[in-house]
Amino acid sequence: MEKVDIKSMDITELQELLQELGEPKFRAKQLFDWLHAKQVDSFAEMTNLSKSLREKLGETAAINGVKIVRRLVSQIDGTRKYLFALSDGAIIESVLMKYEHGNTVCISTQVGCRMGCKFCASGLNGKKRNLSAGEILDEILFMQKDSGEKVSNIVLMGTGEPLDNYDNVLKFLHLVSCPEGINIGQRHISLSTSGIADKIETLAKEKLQITLSVSLHAPDDETRSSIMPINDAYPVERLMQACRYYFDTTGRRISYEYMMARDKTDRPWQADLLAKLLKGRPAHVNLIPLNEVAESPLKPSRPETVRRFQQALEKRG
Ligand code: SF4
């Protein structure tokens, strides 16, 4: 019998599990506290639970988490980059960055990715599998424990398309912001998507307080489709319709990520079109210098082109 993934369970689900094991429901909060606040790796360490309950839990449930493979620490700014192995040996990456406004972690939601963005190394080998809610959470728990630093901001911008792992990511968002757990407020969480329009609308209905970050990267269908295959399924107009719905439903301003690629996304007419596209929408635009990937012909924009592009956007409000 496959063991249940106990770190992915919320308090209600833990109560149900305990009832099935013939135990009182109130133990669920203790169990949740051990897993999420005290962050133990084994049932044996849960000393306020009876020995028989710990044994029953060991037979029915598994505490799946990440194991460290490699850690790189920057001598300049203290950024910590982690290579983690999951229980089946799959590998993911996570990063902890230190800023004045607090520590931010960038985490993965899938092993690989199937979205095929042309500028991205993470998706080169396609998607292997989704991460469970508990595995996504454990990236943060591990980095917090390992660095001895409290994490205050989370960005779901590592490997994977979060909305392609919708249910587990939604579960994770509830677990990580749960007052009985590590309790990181939803306003401190950004979820980045390549633009799965119908999932953006589904997410809007949850009325979460998170920041939605849309990887737009080009304002016209021809360019966007040539670098992001998702644009064939959800062209720019359809995506913008979903973004409008997201703002109208949640009241949360959207961040638009825009990658500056030389002679591809950085042309003057694209700055004009981008400004036109976002006119009248509460929007934050983040111009990102392209990170060169050996397998991609895309090159970063020249610094003076980026400045001109920025000025063109500012001029148009
Ligand atoms: Fe890479 Fe994100 Fe695109 Fe996936 S969605 S291929 S992880 S940029």
Side-chain angles (χ1 to χ4, degrees), residues 301-311:
S301 301
R302 293 184 177 85
E304 62 273 20
T305 315
V306 179
R307 269 192 295 277
R308 272 202 298 275
F309 198 94
Q310 180 189 352
Q311 284 159 2

Side-chain angles (χ1 to χ4, degrees), residues 113 115-117 119-120 122-123 158-161 194:
C113 181
M115 307 317 284
C117 304
F119 46 84
C120 174
S122 306
T159 304
E161 159 57 64
S194 59

